Amino acid sequence: MDVVAKGMWTYADSVLMPVFIVGLRHDFWYEVAKEDGRLDLGEEPQLKNEGFAYYVSFHGIRADGSFWPDSEGHLSIEDAKTAAASKVPTAITWSGTPT
């Protein structure tokens, strides 16, 4: 799991709030459905060619290394950024790839 982009948006015209794009080497929601026995017949994980799915998170990665996505999986970072922008009332300023 990697934070591949970090951004900030403004809440109530004064409070800066973070947003993260997290890349996983597995389809988070597919694995949840698989674990719960809720996969549809023939359902396959949705991953980019390089084996990644990208998720929006407004909370980032927890201290224990886990996270919970606030979006479906996306096949590109740009698609995830677009999804993030659709969920907040102000523009997101992206700082690029964190180290």
Side-chain angles (χ1 to χ4, degrees):
M1 159 177 10
D2 295 309
V3 174
V4 297
K6 181 178 178 181
M8 299 296 283
W9 62 281
T10 306
Y11 173 78
D13 293 326
S14 62
V15 181
L16 286 175
M17 302 293 291
V19 59
F20 307 89
I21 304 301
V22 179
L24 298 179
R25 290 196 176 272
H26 63 275
D27 180 335
F28 182 91
W29 297 114
Y30 174 88
E31 295 300 329
V32 168
K34 181 179 173 183
E35 185 70 25
D36 291 345
R38 295 182 294 115
L39 287 178
D40 293 331
L41 184 63
E43 186 174 352
E44 295 291 330
Q46 299 297 309
L47 299 172
K48 186 176 172 149
N49 289 340
E50 293 85 13
F52 278 94
Y54 301 97
Y55 299 87
V56 175
S57 174
F58 291 100
H59 309 286
I61 298 173
R62 297 179 187 127
D64 67 0
S66 67
F67 97 112
W68 193 264
D70 294 308
S71 75
E72 63 187 39
H74 298 277
L75 298 180
S76 74
I77 295 168
E78 288 306 314
D79 286 348
K81 285 181 174 181
T82 299
S86 75
K87 294 178 182 258
V88 297
T90 62
I92 296 171
T93 301
W94 295 101
S95 60
T97 305
T99 56

